[in-house]
Amino acid sequence: MPPPKPDPAPPLDPFRSTVWLSEAQRKALHISFIVLPLALLYEWLPWPRGKADWRWCLIGLTLAAIAIDVIRIHDHRARRFFTRFFGELIRAHERFNLLGSTYLLIAALLAVEMFPQRVAVAALGFTILGDGVAALVGKAWGRTRFFRKSFEGAAGGLLACLGWATFLALTGVLPWNVVLLGAGVASLIEFLPIPLDDNLGITLFAGYAMKLIWMPA
């Protein structure tokens, strides 16, 4: 008589693991950056408005973030402060390197400089949502490993990018062919082991691909 099969694990079990909860804290902060491309698109505030204003705003934010990182890396008191208050939010490789949020600000600055504003908005959204959701899904249900990542996480990231692409197309920000290409390129770059921070890689590759085929009226 064959032994009884073990009961399947409850589907919500991954959400209770300390590893997933730690990742969720990091990615909640990452995904909250979606206000950046939305603010760039709709310009809710009196300032910044237009490419020149956004350039100076992002230059200021980026320089401030880099300065904070340099102090954190080289001053032991600042390093202790960040470890005490942000402990698990800082990954091991970030302890003596720029934070992911700093790379994201650098990516935003480069996108505003290199691409039309709508393409910059799209590329940043793919980076923020695609990378964030891919990490959360991969930590929860990632089983099929490839390139040190999981196909399940990549699929989650692709769905998030397609959701952002649908929003952009339905609201008339960019045509369907442009945003679908951007979503595909962003998901591919997130999955591949490219030796470049994902925030930079996804933004620049997806943005450049969209810029190549978009012909504004």
Side-chain angles (χ1 to χ4, degrees), residues 80-140:
R80 278 203 308 269
F81 171 84
F82 272 83
T83 301
R84 181 183 305 168
F85 287 96
F86 302 102
E88 294 183 353
L89 296 178
I90 300 177
R91 286 181 172 167
H93 73 273
E94 292 177 325
R95 290 178 183 173
F96 298 99
N97 201 347
L98 298 179
L99 294 175
S101 55
T102 304
Y103 277 115
L104 187 54
L105 287 172
I106 295 172
L109 175 59
L110 292 175
V112 167
E113 283 294 312
M114 295 170 60
F115 310 133
Q117 190 161 319
R118 294 186 179 193
V119 171
V121 165
L124 287 169
F126 290 138
T127 300
I128 293 165
L129 297 177
D131 182 61
V133 173
L136 292 175
V137 173
K139 287 291 183 184

